[in-house]
Amino acid sequence: ALGSRVRQNDQLALISDPLGDHEDPVRAPFDGIVIGCSRLPLAHEGLRLVRVDSLRSDSLWGVLEGHAAVLCLVGHKPESLQQGAMPPLEQPLCERATRTLVEAMADAGVERLVVLGAAGVGSSRRTGRLGLGRWLRWCLPEVMADKERQEWLVRSSGLRWTVLRPA
């Protein structure tokens, strides 16, 4: 809950993939106080969920055609890299996956993109309570740099776009 004190390694949440096949615990990297919370349910009557490899454009063939918009919820997950679940990436995931998606959208003729960004990125860098942007950049420099590059890519894509920033 917001304002709760947590100790290092306390479980903060469970994150499941959109199709509910796998859950990963999120653990506190250090002692602290919970200052933010995000709940983003993906189940919706008008939403079609598909499983793709976000780094392979061929996995998007036949998925995007005929749609007016794409909702991109790809995130950066450094803990899987530390646990050895994935090979090290040359570039963090958000930028790479979004680049693949933007290219596939151009091929499929989809012109509208909605992206889940991050607080403290882009025009929100100097906004927010308690210096959230600076704090996030200090705690998660690689993640925030990746989200900056992702947002720059979206802004310069030529698509009609919206960036959502939970805070």
Side-chain angles (χ1 to χ4, degrees):
L2 291 177
S4 298
R5 290 196 178 277
V6 293
R7 299 266 183 230
Q8 184 176 6
N9 292 324
D10 282 356
Q11 183 173 315
L12 301 173
L14 281 174
I15 296 179
S16 68
D17 65 89
L19 301 175
D21 294 336
H22 183 74
E23 288 185 339
D24 286 313
V26 176
R27 301 206 173 270
F30 42 77
D31 295 353
I33 297 173
V34 177
I35 62 168
C37 181
S38 176
R39 291 181 182 89
L40 186 61
L42 293 181
H44 185 276
E45 184 176 309
L47 186 63
R48 177 178 166 222
L49 297 179
V50 293
R51 185 179 304 271
V52 298
D53 179 341
S54 59
L55 300 178
R56 290 186 35 223
S57 59
D58 62 332
S59 75
L60 296 167
W61 293 342
V63 173
L64 302 176
E65 287 79 4
H67 293 281
V70 172
L71 173 61
C72 177
L73 302 176
V74 68
H76 183 96
K77 193 171 180 191
E79 63 270 11
S80 64
L81 298 176
Q82 293 167 359
Q83 294 170 358
M86 293 174 54
L89 300 174
E90 294 173 12
Q91 302 170 336
L93 186 59
C94 290
E95 176 192 13
R96 291 176 67 200
T98 303
R99 183 176 307 282
T100 300
L101 178 61
V102 166
E103 290 168 2
M105 288 175 67
D107 292 343
V110 180
E111 298 178 353
R112 183 86 173 102
L113 177 61
V114 179
V115 173
L116 181 62
V121 170
S123 61
S124 74
R125 183 179 289 195
R126 289 173 178 69
T127 62
R129 299 181 344 186
L130 306 174
L132 180 61
R134 274 189 230 135
W135 184 81
L136 288 170
R137 287 177 190 290
W138 181 75
C139 290
L140 305 167
E142 298 87 10
V143 172
M144 297 305 285
D146 186 27
K147 294 303 271 185
E148 281 282 359
R149 289 189 302 271
Q150 177 192 36
E151 189 167 315
W152 178 87
L153 178 66
V154 169
R155 289 177 179 272
S156 62
S157 68
L159 296 169
R160 293 176 32 226
W161 53 265
T162 300
V163 175
L164 307 172
R165 294 189 190 116

